[in-house]
Amino acid sequence: MVELKNIRVVYNKNQTNEKKALDGLNLTIKKGEYVTIIGPNGAGKTTLLKILTGEIHPEEGDYVLNGRDIKHPKPYKLFRNVGIVYQEPDRGVFPDLTIEENLILGSKKGNRFFSFGKYQGLELLKSLNMGLEDRLKTKVKELSGGQKQALAMILAAITYPDLLLLDEHTAALDPKNVEKVMELTLKINTEMGLTILMVTHNMKIVEKYAKRIVEIKEGIVTRDFMYERPQSQVGTDRIRASL
């Protein structure tokens, strides 16, 4: 479970360009939930992710992860507990290593001894139907952007982090690869049981894949609701208008 209580972050405090990035934000995410974060540019979404990874610390408020109160965490200390996949595929992989070497390194992720996450990774690779399981000796830099991002998702998931963050993780992909990566996202949530928080501006993704939607504006949660999949185009238009 993730709990954020009255989180406040101010950039450039006491200066003329002072900005409240988060202004008393409250959010609770249950274990195994899949939450989609939406909101306009400058709403505080990126700051929220940086709080969760320990990159920045709130001036006020509490961050609780699975019952543990996180006080001034170092990013490397949260590395095993919180995984993240970025918009740029190359940020989540080792381009000069092979797919197999990526899986081995990803399965260790801070462990002193080798774990068998590699084999979980192989099963996820097969489920993609991209043929990557037959190219284990291929260097990752030779893969397409969609293939790299799918691999980055697997590397972030195979150690079963307490929380998996997805930061616009489909923004750089073509529509076909968006679908494959989103299907993998749902598989990681439903079959592996990982808790996922996804930030996106893509309303088509929200309409097709979202379960719980949290809207952030001006540093606070303005709406938080479960999304009922529309049964008709009329319903889709209604939801799109409300979003």
Side-chain angles (χ1 to χ4, degrees):
M1 177 182 284
V2 180
E3 294 179 273
L4 297 174
K5 304 175 184 177
N6 198 35
I7 298 292
R8 297 182 185 275
V9 175
V10 179
Y11 294 129
N12 306 313
K13 191 172 183 179
N14 298 323
Q15 299 180 33
T16 56
N17 58 341
E18 177 179 300
K19 175 178 172 55
K20 292 180 180 178
L22 297 178
D23 191 19
L25 181 139
N26 292 282
L27 179 65
T28 298
I29 303 172
K30 296 179 181 178
K31 182 176 175 59
E33 270 199 297
Y34 166 39
V35 178
T36 300
I37 302 289
I38 62 173
N41 290 332
K45 303 185 299 298
T46 298
T47 300
L48 170 61
L49 294 180
K50 289 181 177 181
I51 290 288
L52 293 170
T53 58
E55 187 175 341
I56 63 176
H57 312 305
E59 296 187 27
E60 297 180 26
D62 297 308
Y63 170 19
V64 180
L65 181 62
N66 284 348
R68 182 163 59 101
D69 194 0
I70 308 297
K71 294 290 188 183
H72 301 290
K74 301 293 185 183
Y76 72 88
K77 289 188 177 181
L78 284 175
F79 184 55
R80 274 193 55 77
N81 303 99
V82 180
I84 185 166
V85 180
Y86 297 96
Q87 177 177 336
E88 305 86 357
D90 283 335
R91 292 187 66 177
V93 295
F94 303 97
D96 290 321
L97 301 181
T98 66
I99 294 175
E100 183 177 44
E101 289 167 338
N102 269 261
L103 291 175
I104 292 172
L105 284 176
S107 68
K108 289 176 66 67
K109 197 178 181 182
N111 288 332
R112 184 175 179 182
F113 300 105
F114 174 75
S115 72
F116 289 96
K118 169 189 170 184
Y119 301 102
Q120 173 72 57
L122 285 175
E123 292 305 311
L124 289 172
L125 278 179
K126 291 177 183 177
S127 72
L128 290 170
N129 294 317
M130 288 182 172
L132 295 181
E133 70 276 10
D134 299 320
R135 300 177 60 189
L136 294 180
K137 302 300 182 182
T138 300
K139 288 193 174 182
V140 172
K141 63 184 178 184
E142 298 175 20
L143 304 180
S144 69
Q147 291 169 332
K148 289 178 184 176
Q149 195 68 310
L151 180 59
M153 286 281 297
I154 292 170
L155 295 180
I158 55 178
T159 54
Y160 287 83
D162 296 323
L163 176 64
L164 178 59
L165 305 174
L166 306 176
D167 184 10
E168 297 279 2
H169 71 311
T170 63
L173 307 181
D174 61 68
K176 182 178 179 181
N177 282 318
V178 166
E179 186 172 346
K180 286 184 178 291
V181 169
M182 284 307 306
E183 291 298 333
L184 176 61
T185 301
L186 292 184
K187 187 180 186 71
I188 288 171
N189 173 241
T190 58
E191 297 186 15
M192 296 177 66
L194 294 193
T195 306
I196 293 177
L197 185 150
M198 178 181 74
V199 170
T200 185
H201 284 98
N202 189 329
M203 288 300 106
K204 290 183 178 180
I205 286 178
V206 175
E207 291 168 5
K208 187 171 182 179
Y209 297 101
K211 295 180 180 179
R212 175 185 169 193
I213 299 175
V214 174
E215 180 185 58
I216 297 177
K217 288 183 178 179
E218 298 182 352
I220 62 171
V221 173
T222 53
R223 286 195 297 166
D224 184 345
F225 60 97
M226 299 303 295
Y227 178 42
E228 297 182 7
R229 197 75 54 224
Q231 298 300 313
S232 67
Q233 186 61 44
V234 173
T236 301
D237 291 341
R238 186 182 302 119
I239 291 296
R240 184 184 292 114
S242 72
L243 292 175

